[in-house]
Amino acid sequence: MTRFALTLEFDGGPFMGLQRQAHGPSVQQHVEEAVQAITGEAAVMHAAGRTDAGVHALAMRAHVDIEKPFDPFRLMEALNAKLRPQPIAVLACEIVPDDWHARFSCTGRSYIYRITNRRAPLTLERGKAWQVSAPLDVPAMHEAAQHLVGHHDFTTFRSVHCQAASPVKTLDRLDVIRDGDEIDIHAAARSFLHHQVRSMVGCLVLVGRGKWSGDDLKAALEARDRAALGYNAPPDGLYFAGATYS
Amino acid sequence: MTRFALTLEFDGGPFMGLQRQAHGPSVQQHVEEAVQAITGEAAVMHAAGRTDAGVHALAMRAHVDIEKPFDPFRLMEALNAKLRPQPIAVLACEIVPDDWHARFSCTGRSYIYRITNRRAPLTLERGKAWQVSAPLDVPAMHEAAQHLVGHHDFTTFRSVHCQAASPVKTLDRLDVIRDGDEIDIHAAARSFLHHQVRSMVGCLVLVGRGKWSGDDLKAALEARDRAALGYNAPPDGLYFAGATYS
């Protein structure tokens, strides 16, 4: 058996999410079927994160175990050929030790949330960003975001469907950066709760619109109550950006 | 009568081109129908450039004449509402003098051609860039590109369907810039021949792959013969980036 680590890029638009779902197509299903078609072996893919329907990935890390020997480059090429026409691409493929696990060995995850701040509807970025019409005060958003950085109980920013054992997480980074009409929110942590990034972004947009102060955001965090959540941002703008292993 | 200048962004994927076509949908048709639905007047749109099927625009400039008085901001909002769900957006709308003409007053046009230089197929950028698998030598491409800058007979880089009176044009800028896997080619001129940017990009990629030298590109230009063209790049990566009026 050889364990292959994959780096996946995908457009989340057509999928019910990364994880296999009974009720629709998933990234996991397509990758597993591609591996199976190439190797003739049943395959199970494990990934660093579980992304929701409509959420994209720039560099999701995953692994699969294969009995037959394969050259990693040729496996990558074969997977990319089999995955067409699905918008899923294998950017890198390498052999890793048998005890390396895409999910359990992962020590850091990062996301980017992309907002297009303008009146006009999206065309080229449709499904790839959240269009917010009202002008956003980015310095206020960035300053408020710093209340969320650190070790906190993030119950307010957690989906009711979240399966994590604890709502306490350490958020390492939450930066809000404007470049013209585009606002990128960079989030990094060892791990995130379900809907955490989208929930934090939704509340930061309330701050950017002047509807919430930084103190309101702090109070929402401290409430540790999902009912205190201001707004959950749509999946379109969310990208799983990277996973680190140390 | 009031003349309104529009700044349009569009995803060229679903259209036969910017210009009205008998055999399929065009950007012009959708904008004219939207104006007509709002004003009740027959409308004709004039644009700074004529883009082909699959070619995108970041900031195409155009104008329409309307008899009834309209506030430009409200006209823009109404057009964006009517244009949904087409991937065409009006980014700006302003009143201009009656003798201002989106095409004939335009003194400069710029394009960006986007290449993704990697083995893996495109996912998030599908239809929005040209994926080139072979590693490209960007400094060699940029250096060769400078042979094309200046006042030349561009017959080699001109479609047989080109309607321009003369093949002689002055190319002001042709820069090739890499940022990771993405290579952007920036072209600027008073005006371009039909397929000129795609034809220049196709030949620059031959240079980047080491199949052509800079001298080969120069010889192709000097041949003034369409048969000397190396390769015509696909429309997917081409963006009309802007028009200037001075």
Side-chain angles (χ1 to χ4, degrees), chain A residues 134-138 140-141 203-214 216:
Chain A
L136 296 176
D137 180 344
V138 166
M141 292 167 72
C203 293
L204 287 176
V205 164
L206 291 179
V207 173
R209 296 174 63 184
K211 293 187 176 274
W212 273 23
S213 67
D216 290 332

Side-chain angles (χ1 to χ4, degrees), chain B residues 109-121:
Chain B
R109 291 161 174 92
S110 64
Y111 284 90
I112 296 173
Y113 195 98
R114 193 161 289 168
I115 293 170
T116 301
N117 190 205
R118 69 179 197 191
R119 300 283 313 170

Side-chain angles (χ1 to χ4, degrees), chain A residues 174-239:
Chain A
L174 192 60
D175 290 332
V176 187
I177 297 166
R178 180 189 283 278
D179 179 11
D181 281 349
E182 183 172 319
I183 298 169
D184 284 349
I185 300 175
H186 297 262
R190 184 176 182 94
S191 62
F192 289 90
L193 299 167
H194 189 214
H195 280 192
Q196 186 181 343
V197 179
R198 289 167 55 187
S199 296
M200 295 190 301
V201 168
C203 293
L204 287 176
V205 164
L206 291 179
V207 173
R209 296 174 63 184
K211 293 187 176 274
W212 273 23
S213 67
D215 284 344
D216 290 332
L217 183 67
K218 192 160 178 274
L221 173 69
E222 289 170 355
R224 291 168 209 165
D225 180 357
R226 184 67 177 169
L229 181 72
Y231 196 82
N232 198 30
D236 312 48
L238 187 57
Y239 295 74

Side-chain angles (χ1 to χ4, degrees), chain B residues 180-196:
Chain B
D181 281 350
E182 183 173 318
I183 297 169
D184 285 349
I185 300 175
H186 298 261
R190 184 177 181 93
S191 62
F192 288 89
L193 299 168
H194 190 214
H195 280 192
Q196 186 181 343

Side-chain angles (χ1 to χ4, degrees), chain B residues 78-91:
Chain B
L79 283 170
N80 280 330
K82 278 285 170 204
L83 284 164
R84 286 175 194 268
Q86 301 302 329
I88 304 169
V90 182
L91 303 185

Side-chain angles (χ1 to χ4, degrees), chain B residues 111-157:
Chain B
Y111 284 90
I112 296 173
Y113 195 98
R114 193 161 289 168
I115 293 170
T116 301
N117 190 205
R118 69 179 197 191
R119 300 283 313 170
L122 301 181
T123 69
L124 291 155
E125 290 191 297
R126 190 174 288 180
K128 309 288 195 304
W130 180 22
Q131 182 241 332
V132 176
S133 297
L136 296 176
D137 180 343
V138 166
M141 291 168 72
H142 179 75
E143 194 183 325
Q146 305 322 305
H147 288 304
L148 302 180
V149 172
H151 188 71
H152 300 290
D153 179 331
F154 283 97
T155 297
T156 304
F157 303 94

Side-chain angles (χ1 to χ4, degrees), chain A residues 122-186:
Chain A
L122 301 181
T123 69
L124 291 154
E125 290 191 298
R126 191 175 288 180
K128 309 288 196 302
W130 180 21
Q131 182 241 334
V132 176
S133 296
L136 296 176
D137 180 344
V138 166
M141 292 167 72
H142 179 75
E143 194 183 326
Q146 305 322 305
H147 288 304
L148 302 180
V149 173
H151 188 72
H152 301 291
D153 180 331
F154 284 97
T155 297
T156 303
F157 303 94
R158 177 189 198 182
S159 157
V160 293
H161 302 293
C162 183
Q163 291 169 11
S166 162
V168 177
K169 295 285 175 187
T170 301
L171 182 64
D172 297 320
R173 179 186 183 200
L174 192 60
D175 290 332
V176 187
I177 297 166
R178 180 189 283 278
D179 179 11
D181 281 349
E182 183 172 319
I183 298 169
D184 284 349
I185 300 175
H186 297 262

